[in-house]
Short mmCIF file of all heavy atoms in Angstrom, two decimals:
data_model
loop_
_atom_site.label_atom_id
_atom_site.label_comp_id
_atom_site.label_asym_id
_atom_site.label_seq_id
_atom_site.Cartn_x
_atom_site.Cartn_y
_atom_site.Cartn_z
N LEU S 77 28.30 12.30 -16.39
CA LEU S 77 27.19 12.92 -15.66
C LEU S 77 27.27 12.62 -14.17
O LEU S 77 27.48 11.46 -13.78
CB LEU S 77 25.85 12.40 -16.19
CG LEU S 77 25.32 13.00 -17.49
CD1 LEU S 77 24.06 12.26 -17.90
CD2 LEU S 77 25.03 14.48 -17.31
N ARG S 78 27.08 13.64 -13.36
CA ARG S 78 26.95 13.42 -11.93
C ARG S 78 25.55 12.87 -11.65
O ARG S 78 24.61 13.07 -12.42
CB ARG S 78 27.16 14.71 -11.16
CG ARG S 78 28.58 15.29 -11.28
CD ARG S 78 28.70 16.57 -10.49
NE ARG S 78 30.05 17.10 -10.53
CZ ARG S 78 30.43 18.23 -9.94
NH1 ARG S 78 29.52 18.94 -9.25
NH2 ARG S 78 31.68 18.64 -10.02
N ALA S 79 25.42 12.16 -10.52
CA ALA S 79 24.14 11.55 -10.18
C ALA S 79 23.02 12.59 -10.09
O ALA S 79 21.89 12.35 -10.53
CB ALA S 79 24.25 10.77 -8.87
N GLY S 80 23.34 13.75 -9.52
CA GLY S 80 22.32 14.80 -9.39
C GLY S 80 21.84 15.31 -10.73
O GLY S 80 20.64 15.51 -10.96
N ASP S 81 22.81 15.56 -11.66
CA ASP S 81 22.45 16.05 -12.99
C ASP S 81 21.64 15.00 -13.75
O ASP S 81 20.65 15.32 -14.42
CB ASP S 81 23.71 16.39 -13.79
CG ASP S 81 24.48 17.56 -13.17
OD1 ASP S 81 23.82 18.39 -12.52
OD2 ASP S 81 25.71 17.61 -13.34
N PHE S 82 22.06 13.74 -13.63
CA PHE S 82 21.34 12.66 -14.29
C PHE S 82 19.92 12.54 -13.72
O PHE S 82 18.95 12.36 -14.47
CB PHE S 82 22.09 11.35 -14.12
CG PHE S 82 21.34 10.14 -14.60
CD1 PHE S 82 21.15 9.92 -15.96
CD2 PHE S 82 20.80 9.23 -13.70
CE1 PHE S 82 20.44 8.81 -16.40
CE2 PHE S 82 20.11 8.13 -14.13
CZ PHE S 82 19.92 7.91 -15.48
N GLY S 83 19.82 12.63 -12.39
CA GLY S 83 18.51 12.54 -11.76
C GLY S 83 17.56 13.61 -12.24
O GLY S 83 16.39 13.35 -12.53
N ARG S 84 18.06 14.85 -12.36
CA ARG S 84 17.21 15.93 -12.86
C ARG S 84 16.77 15.68 -14.29
O ARG S 84 15.67 16.04 -14.68
CB ARG S 84 17.94 17.26 -12.75
CG ARG S 84 17.98 17.84 -11.34
CD ARG S 84 18.55 19.25 -11.32
NE ARG S 84 19.99 19.23 -11.57
CZ ARG S 84 20.90 19.05 -10.61
NH1 ARG S 84 20.51 18.86 -9.36
NH2 ARG S 84 22.18 19.06 -10.89
N ALA S 85 17.62 15.05 -15.07
CA ALA S 85 17.30 14.79 -16.47
C ALA S 85 16.19 13.75 -16.63
O ALA S 85 15.42 13.80 -17.59
CB ALA S 85 18.54 14.33 -17.22
N VAL S 86 16.10 12.82 -15.67
CA VAL S 86 15.08 11.76 -15.78
C VAL S 86 13.96 11.91 -14.76
O VAL S 86 13.04 11.10 -14.70
CB VAL S 86 15.72 10.36 -15.64
CG1 VAL S 86 16.69 10.09 -16.79
CG2 VAL S 86 16.43 10.20 -14.30
N GLY S 87 14.04 12.98 -13.93
CA GLY S 87 12.97 13.25 -12.99
C GLY S 87 13.09 12.54 -11.67
O GLY S 87 12.07 12.30 -11.00
N TYR S 88 14.31 12.19 -11.26
CA TYR S 88 14.53 11.49 -9.99
C TYR S 88 15.45 12.33 -9.10
O TYR S 88 16.22 13.15 -9.57
CB TYR S 88 15.22 10.15 -10.24
CG TYR S 88 14.30 9.01 -10.59
CD1 TYR S 88 13.30 9.16 -11.53
CD2 TYR S 88 14.44 7.77 -9.98
CE1 TYR S 88 12.46 8.12 -11.87
CE2 TYR S 88 13.62 6.72 -10.30
CZ TYR S 88 12.62 6.90 -11.25
OH TYR S 88 11.79 5.86 -11.56
N SER S 89 15.38 12.05 -7.80
CA SER S 89 16.32 12.70 -6.89
C SER S 89 17.69 12.02 -6.99
O SER S 89 17.80 10.87 -7.42
CB SER S 89 15.81 12.60 -5.45
OG SER S 89 15.84 11.26 -5.00
N GLU S 90 18.70 12.73 -6.58
CA GLU S 90 20.06 12.17 -6.58
C GLU S 90 20.13 10.94 -5.69
O GLU S 90 20.76 9.93 -6.04
CB GLU S 90 21.05 13.23 -6.10
CG GLU S 90 22.50 12.74 -6.06
CD GLU S 90 23.44 13.84 -5.62
OE1 GLU S 90 22.97 14.97 -5.37
OE2 GLU S 90 24.66 13.58 -5.53
N ASP S 91 19.48 11.00 -4.53
CA ASP S 91 19.50 9.88 -3.59
C ASP S 91 18.89 8.63 -4.21
O ASP S 91 19.40 7.52 -4.05
CB ASP S 91 18.74 10.25 -2.31
CG ASP S 91 18.76 9.14 -1.29
OD1 ASP S 91 19.86 8.76 -0.84
OD2 ASP S 91 17.68 8.64 -0.94
N MET S 92 17.77 8.80 -4.95
CA MET S 92 17.12 7.65 -5.57
C MET S 92 18.00 7.05 -6.67
O MET S 92 18.05 5.83 -6.85
CB MET S 92 15.77 8.05 -6.13
CG MET S 92 14.97 6.88 -6.70
SD MET S 92 14.65 5.55 -5.50
CE MET S 92 13.47 6.37 -4.43
N VAL S 93 18.69 7.90 -7.41
CA VAL S 93 19.60 7.40 -8.45
C VAL S 93 20.67 6.52 -7.82
O VAL S 93 20.96 5.42 -8.31
CB VAL S 93 20.25 8.57 -9.21
CG1 VAL S 93 21.39 8.05 -10.12
CG2 VAL S 93 19.21 9.30 -10.05
N TYR S 94 21.24 6.97 -6.71
CA TYR S 94 22.26 6.18 -6.03
C TYR S 94 21.70 4.84 -5.55
O TYR S 94 22.36 3.81 -5.61
CB TYR S 94 22.84 6.96 -4.85
CG TYR S 94 23.88 7.98 -5.23
CD1 TYR S 94 23.81 9.29 -4.76
CD2 TYR S 94 24.95 7.63 -6.07
CE1 TYR S 94 24.78 10.23 -5.10
CE2 TYR S 94 25.92 8.57 -6.41
CZ TYR S 94 25.83 9.86 -5.93
OH TYR S 94 26.79 10.79 -6.29
N LYS S 95 20.47 4.86 -5.04
CA LYS S 95 19.86 3.62 -4.54
C LYS S 95 19.64 2.61 -5.67
O LYS S 95 19.86 1.42 -5.50
CB LYS S 95 18.54 3.92 -3.83
CG LYS S 95 18.71 4.58 -2.47
CD LYS S 95 17.38 4.84 -1.81
CE LYS S 95 17.57 5.45 -0.42
NZ LYS S 95 16.28 5.74 0.24
N ILE S 96 19.20 3.11 -6.80
CA ILE S 96 18.98 2.21 -7.95
C ILE S 96 20.32 1.66 -8.45
O ILE S 96 20.45 0.47 -8.74
CB ILE S 96 18.23 2.94 -9.07
CG1 ILE S 96 16.79 3.21 -8.63
CG2 ILE S 96 18.24 2.12 -10.36
CD1 ILE S 96 15.98 4.02 -9.62
#
Side-chain angles (χ1 to χ4, degrees):
L77 280 175
R78 295 180 177 179
D81 295 332
F82 172 72
R84 283 188 288 274
V86 296
Y88 275 46
S89 68
E90 180 178 359
D91 182 61
M92 185 58 71
V93 170
Y94 280 131
K95 287 181 178 179
I96 291 176

